[in-house]
Amino acid sequence: MSSLIGVRDLVVEFSSGVRAVRSVSLDLAPGERLALVGESGCGKTTTMLAMMGLLPAGATVSGQVLLDGKDILAGGEATMRPHRWSDIAMVFQGAMNALNPVRRVGAQIVEAVRIHGGSRQDGKLRAREVLDLVGLPKDTSSRYPHELSGGQRQRAVIALALACQPRILLADEPTTALDVIVQDQIVTLLRQLSDSLGLAVVLVTHDLALVPHLCDRAAVMYAGTIVESGPCADIVRRPRHPYTRRLVEATPDLAGRRPLTSIPGAPPRLDLPLTGCAFQPRCAEALESCAGSAPPLTDLGGGRTRACHLLEVTA
Ligand SMILES: Nc1ncnc2c1ncn2[C@@H]1O[C@H](COP(=O)(O)OP(=O)(O)O)[C@@H](O)[C@H]1O
Ligand SMILES: [Mg+2]
């Protein structure tokens, strides 16, 4: 697979001492759709912000973010800025409620284009194009965010992210605040945009049920690391990490007729060192040795990887 964007051994520690990302590696091919899944607090947003070069001051970052094979993390803001929004764009978690309330939607898109060197005229043309791409009526340009429904606002935020024609879109929980029908519409929109523009998409979500509707591959995160990855349909049907199995069993649309079960306990504190497998304290199948060392992410074949000390359960 030729990688459009690759993350290598990313580690992020905040000034508070919270080590939110502990060696994450990801790859995305042109037009590919990857889901990054896991409970709240496992480091999904931090991983995305690191890829955008938008971590808060004081955060310590190591690893690489390779765009077309070139490390755009190494040179700091100077190497990141030319690529942010024009190659790699992000829909921030909760962004639909963070549109500027006193500026018309069109003006916000024009401004995004002008910041990147386009003229006002370019901006107006592009605003018309992207609003059309996301399925919003022409007159949305002259509307204020409060005049739009939740679903329309999320479409406007996606339009804004597309203003500078990125090749990669990081969509952080883009459906979380929306009702189920609108959630489906946004996922469908992302799929159509990916198909028609060849846009690579990372869908960040805590909701595993959304994933097969949009994505080719999924990576499951726990306590700052990836514990399992593989083709979406495969992961949902045959999860191979105990944590992923628990996530599937806790997801109404995936659990089928089985009774839903929640995952007991809570993820570990990330401001303390972790020894052994991070999931071990919550894992019903854990052996004594699981507390001893962290399991490495291992290739299982068939595009699957897993970080777990247990022998595979073959159903
Ligand atoms: N700016 C920050 N400063 C300190 N800790 C943070 C900051 N942002 C996130 N965290 C912590 O990092 C961990 C991972 O957070 P986050 O990446 O937002 O997870 P997710 O998106 O998976 O819910 C959490 O423990 C969170 O409290
Ligand atoms: Mg988040």
Side-chain angles (χ1 to χ4, degrees):
M1 179 177 71
S2 69
S3 176
L4 169 61
I5 190 154
V7 174
R8 297 281 174 278
D9 308 315
L10 183 74
V11 177
V12 180
E13 188 169 319
F14 292 109
S15 52
S16 60
V18 168
R19 184 169 278 221
V21 180
R22 302 167 181 243
S23 198
V24 162
S25 296
L26 296 169
D27 270 295
L28 204 61
E32 193 184 18
R33 304 188 282 245
L34 172 74
L36 193 61
V37 191
E39 280 167 291
S40 173
C42 67
K44 305 181 298 296
T45 296
T46 304
T47 303
M48 295 300 108
L49 291 176
M51 290 170 75
M52 291 290 287
L54 290 175
L55 288 166
T60 316
V61 194
S62 67
Q64 297 178 307
V65 176
L66 303 171
L67 180 69
D68 301 316
K70 175 185 133 196
D71 187 2
I72 56 170
L73 193 62
E77 181 61 14
T79 49
M80 195 59 92
R81 185 180 297 142
H83 303 290
R84 189 186 298 135
W85 304 116
S86 46
D87 283 308
I88 170 166
M90 182 161 171
V91 170
F92 297 106
Q93 190 166 356
M96 55 181 268
N97 300 315
L99 281 165
N100 187 337
V102 297
R103 300 204 63 196
R104 298 176 202 270
V105 170
Q108 299 191 43
I109 299 172
V110 172
E111 187 180 336
V113 171
R114 295 197 65 193
I115 286 172
H116 288 83
S119 66
R120 179 170 298 278
Q121 201 50 36
D122 294 338
K124 283 186 175 164
L125 274 174
R126 188 63 188 151
R128 224 171 292 152
E129 277 170 13
V130 287
L131 289 173
D132 187 49
L133 274 174
V134 300
L136 285 172
K138 282 190 182 55
D139 67 352
T140 310
S141 213
S142 57
R143 302 229 174 267
Y144 290 96
H146 75 265
E147 297 177 281
L148 307 180
S149 70
Q152 288 174 325
R153 258 182 291 147
Q154 190 58 289
R155 283 175 194 266
V157 167
I158 294 169
L160 198 52
L162 296 179
C164 300
Q165 297 179 277
R167 293 180 285 161
I168 303 153
L169 181 67
L170 311 177
D172 194 356
E173 307 272 8
T175 65
T176 297
L178 301 169
D179 67 62
V180 179
I181 293 170
V182 181
Q183 278 189 5
D184 273 350
Q185 292 168 353
I186 295 294
V187 165
T188 302
L189 170 65
L190 289 172
R191 195 173 57 226
Q192 287 165 346
L193 289 171
S194 171
D195 283 340
S196 64
L197 304 174
L199 189 67
V201 176
V202 180
L203 172 71
V204 173
T205 181
H206 64 274
D207 185 357
L208 198 54
L210 284 180
V211 164
H213 298 295
L214 175 65
C215 295
D216 311 301
R217 279 190 307 129
V220 180
M221 264 187 99
Y222 188 77
T225 57
I226 291 175
V227 295
E228 174 159 19
S229 76
C232 279
D234 228 23
I235 288 218
V236 165
R237 243 182 278 128
R238 279 187 306 274
R240 287 159 85 171
H241 191 287
Y243 176 60
T244 316
R245 277 203 285 279
R246 289 307 196 122
L247 273 185
V248 171
E249 287 163 8
T251 305
D253 293 347
L254 299 176
R257 298 217 189 98
R258 281 169 295 171
L260 282 182
T261 51
S262 62
I263 309 177
R269 288 180 58 166
L270 297 176
D271 57 343
L272 301 174
L274 291 173
T275 47
C277 169
F279 188 58
Q280 166 267 328
R282 302 171 80 185
C283 182
E285 301 153 62
L287 310 169
E288 223 169 283
S289 58
C290 295
S293 64
L297 195 61
T298 309
D299 195 339
L300 302 176
R304 304 280 302 255
T305 66
R306 184 184 82 140
C308 180
H309 286 307
L310 299 172
L311 287 177
E312 280 234 65
V313 184
T314 41

